Amino acid sequence: MGVQTDQTAHDEASTTPTGCPVSGPSAAADVDLARALDTPFPWPRGRFDPPAEYGALREKCPVARAKLADGRPVWLVTRYDDVRAVLTDPRVSADETDPGFPGMGPRAGTYSKMDDPRHAELRGLVARNFGIKHVASMRPAVQAMVDQAIDEMLATEGRQVDLVPALALRIPANVLGNLLGVPVEDRDHFAEQIQSMLDNGNPLDTEAQERSRRIAEEVYAYVGELIDRELARETPSDDIIGQLAAAHRRGDISHKDAVSSGFLIIGAGFDTTANAAALGVLLLLTHPDQLAKLKADPSLLDVAIEEVLRWLSHVHLIIARVATDDIEIAGVTIPRGEGIMPLNASANRDESHYPQAATFDIERRARDHLAFGFGVHQCQGQSLARMELSVIFETLFRRIPELRLAVDVDEIELKTSARIHGVRALPVAW
């Protein structure tokens, strides 16, 4: 046996298991990658930015082996092209029942965590509700909802409100309530449950995870009640719950599939849009030069929304995969059966794809961002989310052009450890 020299020990200590150097000069000079990769993943993000470790990984170790809180290995893929490659590789699975799948929340058996052909079959049952034409037909109703919410804001004494319940949560809750068929009297409580379920999703906090699991069970049971009520109706409704119940009546899907599909649409379509709306307003208010451009030229709205989505990448710990065969990404072999996190929040800040990626620029044309994922599992409700954000931003800044933060930005609490980044409260004034 040879004698290990100090230099040999240093070399071993300064590389990852993939052989990537993790010490030495780096653009992210304050990041200790060796320590980070020995710390359970995920890592907290900044106020707006992804974890600083992502930038260092893109530069020095774009495919790195980390570990989850339970000790299982997980491969972090950080560059734009590599993330896209993972999300279209047939040797990569979204099946959450695989022992190596790096799930970070309660398992719900939804089609987003299944592979084709079953994934495509269940997704196809509700696809028409999220098509571009159908979403466009919903816009007048969403406009009326936003106008009513802003009317109530403007009537508030003191000219100050918390924008989260006043607008950001209210609109997606009502849009999804109409789309799904949730009774009006249940929507406020229902929205609170969904928000609490996702807010308690810190993957490193076992107590929070348990709270999230319990709330998820309650929400799942409620969706089951909605399906059962629909099955008992003589005249079927044409909302999503009605469509899922009809598919069950025909024998196309099981009762469990009907419930889990409804549960997925609620979780995926509510909190994601609500957090994008609140964070997006905060982002624009803290970048007054960009907001001034948008006010001066409203035709920039669509490209501005894409930049908001790219820059925030607020749905950042949901996309997870597992290798079903040995695969090579960027010269690194990921063994069969090990989990993969294709980090869309990192990919969207990749300087090699987006020059000056850390700069928020509403004139950047970033429609190819990965905020909604990529490939066959790309977010089904993205057209609906874009439309809701468009109506909210356009109407809010047109009707209340003097909108401003009512507190110092440092006083605003953000969900930096949640799987869906967001803001807990957003006091604004005018």
Side-chain angles (χ1 to χ4, degrees), residues 34 66 74 111 114 127 182 196 203 206 211 221 241 246 296 311 313 328 409 418:
V74 62
Y111 59 81
M114 297 178 183
V182 176
S196 183
T206 54
R211 287 194 297 272
I241 293 296
W311 205 78
S313 296
E328 184 177 309
V409 66

Side-chain angles (χ1 to χ4, degrees), residues 260-331:
S260 66
S261 295
F263 178 85
L264 168 65
I265 292 164
I266 290 162
F270 166 60
D271 203 54
T272 52
T273 304
N275 280 310
L279 272 177
V281 170
L282 177 60
L283 178 59
L284 288 163
L285 290 176
T286 53
H287 289 76
D289 59 326
Q290 299 300 306
L291 181 55
K293 284 184 186 178
L294 183 58
K295 289 177 178 178
D297 184 2
S299 71
L300 290 172
L301 180 61
D302 288 345
V303 293
I305 287 171
E306 300 308 322
E307 178 68 350
V308 166
L309 292 167
R310 178 199 73 86
W311 205 78
L312 291 174
S313 296
H314 67 298
V315 183
H316 66 125
L317 292 173
I318 300 296
I319 303 172
R321 299 291 187 267
V322 60
T324 58
D325 199 353
D326 291 356
I327 61 171
E328 184 177 309
I329 300 290

Side-chain angles (χ1 to χ4, degrees), residues 195-212:
Q195 185 185 17
S196 183
M197 177 181 74
L198 293 164
D199 283 358
N200 280 294
N202 182 350
L204 300 179
D205 184 334
T206 54
E207 291 185 4
Q209 284 283 289
E210 178 58 24
R211 287 194 297 272
S212 179

Side-chain angles (χ1 to χ4, degrees), residues 93-101 107-109 113-115 256 322:
S93 170
D95 181 5
E96 69 175 353
T97 66
D98 188 296
F101 184 84
R107 290 184 179 179
K113 304 298 184 185
M114 297 178 183
D115 294 327
K256 181 180 179 181
V322 60

